[in-house]
Amino acid sequence: MTEPKPGTKLGRRGPTGSRSRRETVPAPAGPVAPPADGHEATAILERSRATVDPELRRALDTLPGPLRRIARYHFGWEQADGTPASGNAGKAIRPALVLAATRALGGRESAAVGAAAAVELVHNFTLLHDDVMDRDATRRHRPTAWAVFGDADAILAGDALQALALGLLAQDRHPASPAAAARLAACVVELCAGQQADTAMERRDPDEVTLDEVVAMAEAKTGALLGCACALGGLYAGAVADEVDALDAFGREAGLAFQLIDDVIGIWGDPRRTGKPAGADLMARKKSLPVVAALASGGPAAAHLAELYRAPYREGELERTVLAVEQAGGRGWAQSQAADRMARAMQELSRAVPDPEAAGGLLALAEFVTRRTN
């Protein structure tokens, strides 16, 4: 018998595809070095989009006509008048994580396509609602759904996407589908709690919001769904509970790194690449991670930022606000924290998938979302 490589898992699957309790040959200590460039991640994302889009289109085709039109517009597949479009439907990071996690644990990607589509539907449900609440008028280089169809229709289309997501899992005959549906439903509650905390923070004085609060909010709003995506991939591969929990933790840490970078891009990004106006969160006085870190830093720049944030945005203030966040250390803190969260994510991943080769797809995706510029 050949000696197993470090990190190779021993054991067999049970009759339903779940793994029996196994011993693990210890993997090398410390996180695995991430891929050097984004080519692998780009290929994974393109393959995921090609695999999951047909399932998404089938799901949207079941919606009543008006809701179907709004949803197709939001995904970039139709113009506002219902004519076909070839717009950008997003990077498909979350469904890619589902499929990569399934593959990393030896499962069949084809079995998890419905789960991947369900996660993407939930993500887009949150985008439709967030755009209404944040009054964001642009997404993916064109007007948001509420700006075209109105608040009520955009909200209802988002509600319909959430129902479609849970319906996909309820109809799935895979043994993991009940656990996956329960996990995704719990994730939606956590997402809503995170969004509620975010909107409540906007009404509070800048000095009243703590960094711990905003980190917890960001984990709920962003980390929860990335963690859920990885966990669902593990469930569809027949992973044991410890592996599923480690995958969830990996996704949450990577998700928090993602949000940190997203907040940095929201302030300093190029609108020509992001499709959204730079500084929109600052103008809306949102308590993003770099902003709260800057406010908590003390010093003249933090005091000036707090003074700006106590009053509604006035025309011409954006440059001063951006400068105050940077001078108070908000940008540097966010970038440093993103690197730290990525290191934690890799440590969690090594618990679920000790074999670096098997974990390669998940590592590539995690690296991609924290090295992006748009």
Side-chain angles (χ1 to χ4, degrees):
M1 177 177 175
T2 305
E3 286 295 319
K5 297 178 182 179
T8 300
K9 297 180 178 180
L10 307 176
R12 60 181 181 85
R13 295 179 183 271
T16 63
S18 63
R19 289 187 179 88
S20 58
R21 198 70 182 172
R22 298 171 296 182
E23 295 179 359
T24 301
V25 177
V32 179
D37 57 51
H39 295 306
E40 182 182 357
T42 300
I44 292 170
L45 291 168
E46 289 175 353
R47 187 171 68 245
S48 172
R49 174 59 74 194
T51 300
V52 175
D53 267 6
E55 186 73 14
L56 289 171
R57 288 178 182 270
R58 280 193 290 272
L60 264 57
D61 282 348
T62 66
L63 291 174
L67 291 176
R68 182 169 65 247
R69 181 177 166 190
I70 299 163
R72 284 176 171 171
Y73 172 84
H74 169 75
F75 273 91
W77 298 334
E78 286 187 1
Q79 306 289 2
D81 62 3
T83 56
S86 56
N88 176 16
K91 296 181 177 66
I93 290 167
R94 290 154 189 84
L97 286 170
V98 175
L99 300 181
T102 301
R103 186 171 61 252
L105 284 165
R108 292 184 299 108
E109 281 191 2
S110 59
V113 172
V119 169
E120 185 71 347
L121 287 167
V122 164
H123 174 54
N124 282 277
F125 138 69
T126 68
L127 296 183
L128 282 160
H129 283 204
D130 284 359
D131 286 343
V132 173
M133 286 182 274
D134 296 342
R135 309 315 291 170
D136 284 338
T138 306
R139 180 175 293 281
R140 298 167 183 161
H141 303 279
R142 66 178 188 164
T144 47
W146 73 265
V148 175
F149 301 100
D151 290 3
D153 280 357
I155 290 169
L156 291 168
D159 292 341
L161 294 188
Q162 183 195 166
L164 285 180
L166 294 174
L168 281 178
L169 294 177
Q171 295 162 17
D172 193 343
R173 296 184 179 181
H174 193 281
S177 63
R183 198 164 195 122
L184 187 58
C187 179
V188 169
V189 174
E190 189 173 359
L191 291 170
C192 292
Q195 180 65 17
Q196 190 279 329
D198 189 20
T199 55
M201 285 178 190
E202 293 179 39
R203 300 189 294 269
R204 292 166 58 186
D205 187 87
D207 290 335
E208 293 177 354
V209 178
T210 69
L211 201 49
D212 285 346
E213 281 183 296
V214 79
V215 167
M217 177 272 293
E219 182 180 343
K221 275 191 65 175
T222 305
L225 189 55
L226 269 72
C228 183
C230 296
L232 262 58
L235 287 171
Y236 273 77
V240 296
D242 287 349
E243 291 169 334
V244 173
D245 290 344
L247 286 169
D248 188 285
F250 159 74
R252 284 175 180 270
E253 293 291 355
L256 195 47
F258 175 97
Q259 187 61 57
L260 285 155
I261 297 301
D262 195 63
D263 286 352
V264 168
I265 291 170
I267 298 173
W268 292 279
D270 182 350
R272 292 172 298 182
R273 302 190 67 178
T274 65
K276 299 177 70 173
D281 285 354
L282 297 181
M283 290 186 273
R285 298 305 190 233
K286 290 184 71 67
K287 312 286 196 308
S288 66
L289 288 156
V291 166
V292 176
L295 289 167
S297 68
H304 179 49
L305 179 61
E307 182 182 348
L308 289 169
Y309 254 60
R310 288 193 182 99
Y313 174 77
R314 293 188 292 270
E315 192 69 30
E317 280 185 346
L318 182 57
E319 188 175 340
R320 285 197 298 148
T321 310
V322 170
L323 185 61
V325 176
E326 184 147 16
Q327 288 180 336
R331 185 176 190 172
W333 176 88
Q335 291 171 330
S336 174
Q337 278 292 304
D340 178 65
R341 293 292 177 168
M342 267 303 299
R344 297 188 196 186
M346 291 179 193
Q347 289 172 348
E348 294 292 350
L349 182 56
S350 70
R351 290 174 49 214
V353 192
D355 180 2
E357 185 176 349
L362 288 168
L363 286 170
L365 290 171
E367 174 76 357
F368 175 83
V369 300
T370 54
R371 289 284 179 89
R372 66 198 182 96
T373 58
N374 58 61

